Amino acid sequence: MAFFLSSTFVSPLLVGLLGSLLFEALLSPRPRPFWKRGVAANILHLGSWLLLFGTFILLLQRPWFAVVFILSLQLVVVQSSNTKSRTLNEPFICHDFEYFWDAVLHPRLYVPFFGIGLAIAASSAGAVAIGSFLIFEPSLIRQWGGTVFLMNSLMLIAAGALLVWLGWRKLPSVSLNPVMDLDQLGLFSSLWAYGIALAHSQPPTPDASPFQPLSQPLSQPLSQQRLELDADAAKPNVVLVQSESFFDPRPWCSEIAADLLPNYDATCKEAIVKGALNVPAWGANTVRTECAVLTGIAPNAWGARQFNPYRTLSRHTLPSIASAFKAQGYRTVCVHPYPATFYMRDSVIPILGFETFIDISAFESQDKHGQYIGDQAVARKVGRLLEDNDNRPLFVFVITMENHGPLHLEAPEKARVASTLPTAPWPLPHHLRDLAVYLHHLGESDKMLGSVKAALNSAIRPGLLGWYGDHVPILPDAYRHFSPPASSTPYMIWSTEIDRNLHDKPPIERASCTLEANELGVYLFKRAFGRDISSDVIKAEPEPQEQE
């Protein structure tokens, strides 16, 4: 057992353990120090370090190399967590490990936030360190022999695994508030806690969705409950647009041009209903909002699965607004101008009841506006779908991309800034650069709104339009300067029948109604089929609440 007693083993183990605690202090927000945490959290941290150290000793055969390697990985997680906290108001959790692979497949969406220069420097330093340790630090197998080395490495792994098991058994249940849980448990223990909570969680059952009674195939007995419109009315075409990072920034920042969003302003005046949508995301994590809107299931019903519900949906069928429209004889189409594989939508979208999924392959390179396919190109695609006469009403769900970050990869243009930030100096101060880029693309989203309304008005059938933002944009510099906006986004439901009935009459301003994200799809479905849907099938309409 000379291996255990040797300073060549004990010193790096203790130095690495101390380093793992010190590296946690680099987190922002910083968790409470280990002496203020529970015993179970500290046991779990110690067990995690022993488990990692033993595993990498076994793989690398060099204790100091193992220490530097583990701490380097921890530093990557710390930096990722700080970046996520700065941009998304949420620290790193266990679920986020899968995004490292997404960063390889879709680097534009991730690496720029981490810092391209930092990523290159870290990769270069890592390559140099690996080469140096392999050359200059001797292998423990040569020093202690293969049998002793293997036995002690496995014993160290077993000791770590035992402490991890003891720690998580006594660990309190997580609140599923990542900021709070990181503070109370620390990095290592919170990662374990969320991973265990995810493993023990169950997906929602189909009857958790309010669309379950309406999503049965027409050939089944429940089809007798099929909703019927008045004999003289046609079923409306329905378009639901999830507009990337859409919100109205004018109340938040007085420097923005008052006439930035003319179509949005007009639609608010004409809308059947409008208001604030409480979304379960900030800056990104689009699928949290998307899943809530489509399935009608609140995020808390997903438990630990709420942070990426599409991973669950890729393996479990749940009813949705699409399957409900499909059961009523609608053609159901999803349009998303990005690769279908992102967020596993290629698996999820058909499961949710969409007959057709139109992704980036249906667009041309000239359709780009900025980094992504432009919103007006998407509007043209929706217009062509509405022109396609296959004798069925149409439900189209649109997921736009134009205003997706990273915004700092685009440079603001002086001519555009004059119409969006008319009083801003040029060159722009740092806190306005990303905002100026965002506002230009927001104007394009507003033009898309006008185009989709025009396409619905041109169709033979009446039309219904739902419009909402998935989350507020990532603008950390502007938020630091002006203060962060509210986390909610606007939504509207608009009908061609209202537009046709207005003619030259001034629109009547309607009361605002605050909705949760999981209520919006339900509300839209009710509007498509009138107000006389049984409360046993669709829950009661939310009461209007005054908006400031």
Side-chain angles (χ1 to χ4, degrees):
M1 294 298 174
F3 179 54
F4 267 113
L5 300 176
S6 171
S7 62
T8 60
F9 173 75
V10 175
S11 295
L13 188 152
L14 296 177
V15 168
L17 178 61
L18 178 61
S20 69
L21 293 170
L22 293 176
F23 276 20
E24 282 197 349
L26 300 176
L27 285 165
S28 178
R30 181 183 299 176
R32 64 185 63 180
F34 70 90
W35 59 85
K36 293 185 178 180
R37 301 174 197 165
V39 174
N42 287 327
I43 290 175
L44 198 51
H45 184 105
L46 175 60
S48 299
W49 175 255
L50 293 177
L51 183 61
L52 287 169
F53 187 69
T55 300
F56 281 97
I57 281 283
L58 186 63
L59 294 174
L60 303 175
Q61 306 166 26
R62 293 162 175 82
W64 287 110
F65 187 11
V67 168
V68 171
F69 197 90
I70 297 168
L71 292 181
S72 297
L73 294 178
Q74 183 182 351
L75 194 59
V76 170
V77 173
V78 168
Q79 176 65 20
S80 300
S81 183
N82 290 346
T83 300
K84 188 183 176 194
S85 294
R86 185 178 71 254
T87 56
L88 310 184
N89 289 352
E90 182 181 289
F92 192 94
I93 58 176
C94 176
H95 308 55
D96 295 327
F97 281 112
E98 67 177 301
Y99 293 132
F100 286 122
W101 179 242
D102 281 341
V104 175
L105 298 177
H106 308 279
R108 175 178 287 274
L109 297 183
Y110 297 94
V111 175
F113 292 110
F114 187 83
I116 297 175
L118 182 59
I120 295 173
S123 301
S124 302
V128 172
I130 289 173
S132 300
F133 278 109
L134 289 175
I135 295 172
F136 296 110
E137 186 179 15
S139 167
L140 287 176
I141 290 182
R142 297 176 187 169
Q143 295 184 51
W144 307 109
T147 302
V148 173
F149 168 76
L150 182 60
M151 289 283 293
N152 286 283
S153 297
L154 294 176
M155 288 176 64
L156 187 60
I157 293 172
L162 178 62
L163 288 175
V164 167
W165 179 75
L166 292 173
W168 77 256
R169 287 192 66 199
K170 300 296 183 181
L171 207 63
S173 299
V174 290
S175 67
L176 298 181
N177 180 327
V179 175
M180 183 184 302
D181 292 325
L182 176 65
D183 174 64
Q184 294 180 348
L185 302 176
L187 179 61
F188 283 38
S189 297
S190 65
L191 291 176
W192 276 108
Y194 272 70
I196 292 165
L198 180 62
H200 288 173
S201 66
Q202 296 296 321
T205 57
D207 58 9
S209 171
F211 296 111
Q212 165 66 6
L214 302 165
S215 298
Q216 306 301 320
L218 294 178
S219 60
Q220 295 189 8
L222 193 59
S223 66
Q224 297 172 6
Q225 301 178 15
R226 179 175 175 176
L227 305 174
E228 297 292 345
L229 290 175
D230 188 85
D232 295 329
K235 292 180 179 178
N237 291 320
V238 182
V239 178
L240 177 59
V241 178
Q242 178 176 276
S243 185
E244 174 62 39
S245 300
F246 187 92
F247 87 121
D248 183 0
R250 293 169 295 180
W252 162 71
C253 176
S254 60
E255 297 181 25
I256 298 172
D259 58 354
L260 177 70
L261 303 173
N263 291 297
Y264 169 78
D265 293 337
T267 308
C268 280
K269 293 177 180 178
E270 303 163 359
I272 299 171
V273 65
K274 64 179 181 181
L277 188 69
N278 293 327
V279 296
W282 173 284
N285 294 309
T286 295
V287 292
R288 299 181 190 177
T289 303
E290 188 176 315
C291 179
V293 171
L294 291 177
T295 65
I297 301 176
N300 58 12
W302 292 82
R305 297 169 183 258
Q306 66 185 272
F307 300 103
N308 186 356
Y310 273 15
R311 177 156 292 283
T312 297
L313 273 176
S314 66
R315 301 186 300 272
H316 299 274
T317 301
L318 287 176
S320 75
I321 187 174
S323 59
F325 272 119
K326 186 176 181 180
Q328 305 308 316
Y330 273 71
R331 177 188 175 198
T332 54
V333 180
C334 178
V335 180
H336 180 44
Y338 203 66
T341 54
F342 189 54
Y343 273 126
M344 298 173 286
R345 285 191 177 98
D346 56 331
S347 299
V348 172
I349 293 300
I351 287 176
L352 287 174
F354 288 96
E355 299 174 10
T356 306
F357 185 15
I358 299 173
D359 74 343
I360 194 171
S361 61
F363 294 85
E364 305 295 334
S365 59
Q366 58 264 32
D367 290 329
K368 280 191 173 184
H369 191 89
Q371 303 176 69
Y372 306 101
I373 299 299
D375 284 356
Q376 293 199 63
V378 177
R380 290 192 294 271
K381 185 70 68 176
V382 173
R384 286 192 288 271
L385 287 169
L386 291 168
E387 292 171 358
D388 182 13
N389 183 18
D390 72 347
N391 297 320
R392 287 187 296 168
L394 179 66
F395 171 64
V396 184
F397 178 58
V398 182
I399 310 164
T400 71
M401 277 296 294
E402 179 176 339
N403 224 341
H404 201 292
L407 297 169
H408 65 270
L409 295 186
E410 293 185 53
E413 297 182 14
K414 187 175 181 178
R416 293 172 175 174
V417 170
S419 61
T420 58
L421 292 165
T423 63
W426 187 269
L428 288 175
H430 185 70
H431 67 275
L432 292 180
R433 290 181 59 83
D434 289 359
L435 177 60
V437 173
Y438 170 76
L439 293 177
H440 167 68
H441 292 300
L442 188 64
E444 295 298 299
S445 300
D446 185 72
K447 293 175 184 176
M448 174 186 175
L449 173 57
S451 297
V452 174
K453 287 172 62 180
L456 284 166
N457 267 323
S458 299
I460 297 175
R461 292 179 179 274
L464 197 63
L465 171 64
W467 183 284
Y468 69 96
D470 54 351
H471 49 69
V472 297
I474 297 175
L475 295 168
D477 296 325
Y479 296 157
R480 277 193 296 270
H481 185 85
F482 296 112
S483 79
S487 61
S488 60
T489 62
Y491 80 91
M492 303 172 290
I493 297 178
W494 172 89
S495 171
T496 57
E497 296 302 285
I498 286 181
D499 190 60
R500 290 165 184 169
N501 291 335
L502 283 175
H503 297 293
D504 297 327
K505 299 177 184 178
I508 300 173
E509 190 80 19
R510 289 170 173 79
S512 295
C513 177
T514 298
L515 296 180
E516 300 299 318
N518 57 290
E519 295 175 327
L520 179 59
V522 174
Y523 209 109
L524 180 67
F525 190 87
K526 288 178 63 178
R527 291 295 175 178
F529 290 94
R531 294 173 176 263
D532 298 327
I533 298 175
S534 168
S535 60
D536 295 332
V537 176
I538 294 292
K539 58 186 176 182
E541 198 172 284
E543 291 296 325
Q545 302 175 22
E546 290 300 320
Q547 300 275 314
E548 294 186 359

mmCIF file of all heavy atoms in Angstrom, residues 5-19:
data_model
loop_
_atom_site.group_PDB
_atom_site.id
_atom_site.type_symbol
_atom_site.label_atom_id
_atom_site.label_comp_id
_atom_site.label_asym_id
_atom_site.label_seq_id
_atom_site.Cartn_x
_atom_site.Cartn_y
_atom_site.Cartn_z
ATOM 1 N N LEU A 5 0.350 5.863 0.696
ATOM 2 C CA LEU A 5 1.139 6.630 1.653
ATOM 3 C C LEU A 5 2.087 7.599 0.987
ATOM 4 O O LEU A 5 2.628 8.483 1.642
ATOM 5 C CB LEU A 5 1.935 5.665 2.549
ATOM 6 C CG LEU A 5 1.087 4.686 3.374
ATOM 7 C CD1 LEU A 5 1.997 3.738 4.141
ATOM 8 C CD2 LEU A 5 0.167 5.436 4.341
ATOM 9 N N SER A 6 2.288 7.461 -0.276
ATOM 10 C CA SER A 6 3.265 8.289 -0.966
ATOM 11 C C SER A 6 2.738 9.697 -1.177
ATOM 12 O O SER A 6 1.569 9.901 -1.503
ATOM 13 C CB SER A 6 3.612 7.661 -2.317
ATOM 14 O OG SER A 6 4.387 8.556 -3.067
ATOM 15 N N SER A 7 3.612 10.687 -0.992
ATOM 16 C CA SER A 7 3.236 12.074 -1.228
ATOM 17 C C SER A 7 2.936 12.317 -2.700
ATOM 18 O O SER A 7 2.226 13.262 -3.035
ATOM 19 C CB SER A 7 4.354 13.008 -0.775
ATOM 20 O OG SER A 7 5.538 12.756 -1.520
ATOM 21 N N THR A 8 3.437 11.469 -3.588
ATOM 22 C CA THR A 8 3.137 11.639 -5.012
ATOM 23 C C THR A 8 1.663 11.389 -5.302
ATOM 24 O O THR A 8 1.162 11.764 -6.352
ATOM 25 C CB THR A 8 3.967 10.662 -5.866
ATOM 26 O OG1 THR A 8 3.658 9.321 -5.471
ATOM 27 C CG2 THR A 8 5.458 10.910 -5.691
ATOM 28 N N PHE A 9 0.996 10.766 -4.319
ATOM 29 C CA PHE A 9 -0.439 10.515 -4.467
ATOM 30 C C PHE A 9 -1.271 11.434 -3.572
ATOM 31 O O PHE A 9 -2.234 12.049 -4.013
ATOM 32 C CB PHE A 9 -0.729 9.051 -4.131
ATOM 33 C CG PHE A 9 -2.197 8.734 -4.081
ATOM 34 C CD1 PHE A 9 -2.928 8.625 -5.238
ATOM 35 C CD2 PHE A 9 -2.835 8.557 -2.862
ATOM 36 C CE1 PHE A 9 -4.285 8.340 -5.197
ATOM 37 C CE2 PHE A 9 -4.184 8.269 -2.813
ATOM 38 C CZ PHE A 9 -4.911 8.159 -3.980
ATOM 39 N N VAL A 10 -0.893 11.550 -2.297
ATOM 40 C CA VAL A 10 -1.679 12.309 -1.330
ATOM 41 C C VAL A 10 -1.678 13.799 -1.660
ATOM 42 O O VAL A 10 -2.712 14.468 -1.602
ATOM 43 C CB VAL A 10 -1.155 12.072 0.098
ATOM 44 C CG1 VAL A 10 -1.900 12.949 1.094
ATOM 45 C CG2 VAL A 10 -1.285 10.612 0.475
ATOM 46 N N SER A 11 -0.529 14.357 -2.020
ATOM 47 C CA SER A 11 -0.438 15.803 -2.270
ATOM 48 C C SER A 11 -1.357 16.257 -3.404
ATOM 49 O O SER A 11 -2.124 17.207 -3.228
ATOM 50 C CB SER A 11 1.010 16.181 -2.570
ATOM 51 O OG SER A 11 1.813 15.949 -1.442
ATOM 52 N N PRO A 12 -1.298 15.609 -4.550
ATOM 53 C CA PRO A 12 -2.209 16.062 -5.611
ATOM 54 C C PRO A 12 -3.678 15.866 -5.248
ATOM 55 O O PRO A 12 -4.530 16.675 -5.630
ATOM 56 C CB PRO A 12 -1.819 15.223 -6.825
ATOM 57 C CG PRO A 12 -1.035 14.091 -6.306
ATOM 58 C CD PRO A 12 -0.372 14.577 -5.064
ATOM 59 N N LEU A 13 -4.009 14.801 -4.490
ATOM 60 C CA LEU A 13 -5.394 14.572 -4.107
ATOM 61 C C LEU A 13 -5.908 15.737 -3.257
ATOM 62 O O LEU A 13 -6.990 16.271 -3.487
ATOM 63 C CB LEU A 13 -5.508 13.255 -3.338
ATOM 64 C CG LEU A 13 -6.920 12.752 -3.011
ATOM 65 C CD1 LEU A 13 -6.922 11.231 -2.916
ATOM 66 C CD2 LEU A 13 -7.448 13.339 -1.699
ATOM 67 N N LEU A 14 -5.121 16.157 -2.241
ATOM 68 C CA LEU A 14 -5.549 17.230 -1.355
ATOM 69 C C LEU A 14 -5.536 18.579 -2.063
ATOM 70 O O LEU A 14 -6.440 19.406 -1.869
ATOM 71 C CB LEU A 14 -4.648 17.268 -0.116
ATOM 72 C CG LEU A 14 -4.722 16.034 0.785
ATOM 73 C CD1 LEU A 14 -3.735 16.166 1.942
ATOM 74 C CD2 LEU A 14 -6.137 15.836 1.307
ATOM 75 N N VAL A 15 -4.511 18.822 -2.873
ATOM 76 C CA VAL A 15 -4.444 20.083 -3.615
ATOM 77 C C VAL A 15 -5.632 20.194 -4.561
ATOM 78 O O VAL A 15 -6.255 21.252 -4.698
ATOM 79 C CB VAL A 15 -3.112 20.187 -4.380
ATOM 80 C CG1 VAL A 15 -3.153 21.348 -5.377
ATOM 81 C CG2 VAL A 15 -1.953 20.373 -3.408
ATOM 82 N N GLY A 16 -5.953 19.100 -5.231
ATOM 83 C CA GLY A 16 -7.091 19.112 -6.146
ATOM 84 C C GLY A 16 -8.410 19.333 -5.428
ATOM 85 O O GLY A 16 -9.279 20.063 -5.913
ATOM 86 N N LEU A 17 -8.601 18.706 -4.259
ATOM 87 C CA LEU A 17 -9.822 18.897 -3.486
ATOM 88 C C LEU A 17 -9.973 20.361 -3.077
ATOM 89 O O LEU A 17 -11.062 20.944 -3.195
ATOM 90 C CB LEU A 17 -9.809 18.000 -2.255
ATOM 91 C CG LEU A 17 -11.009 18.121 -1.309
ATOM 92 C CD1 LEU A 17 -12.303 17.767 -2.020
ATOM 93 C CD2 LEU A 17 -10.801 17.227 -0.076
ATOM 94 N N LEU A 18 -8.880 20.953 -2.597
ATOM 95 C CA LEU A 18 -8.906 22.371 -2.238
ATOM 96 C C LEU A 18 -9.193 23.237 -3.466
ATOM 97 O O LEU A 18 -9.985 24.186 -3.412
ATOM 98 C CB LEU A 18 -7.577 22.775 -1.600
ATOM 99 C CG LEU A 18 -7.433 24.256 -1.215
ATOM 100 C CD1 LEU A 18 -8.481 24.638 -0.182
ATOM 101 C CD2 LEU A 18 -6.028 24.527 -0.695
ATOM 102 N N GLY A 19 -8.564 22.891 -4.589
ATOM 103 C CA GLY A 19 -8.790 23.645 -5.818
ATOM 104 C C GLY A 19 -10.234 23.574 -6.277
ATOM 105 O O GLY A 19 -10.797 24.572 -6.768
#
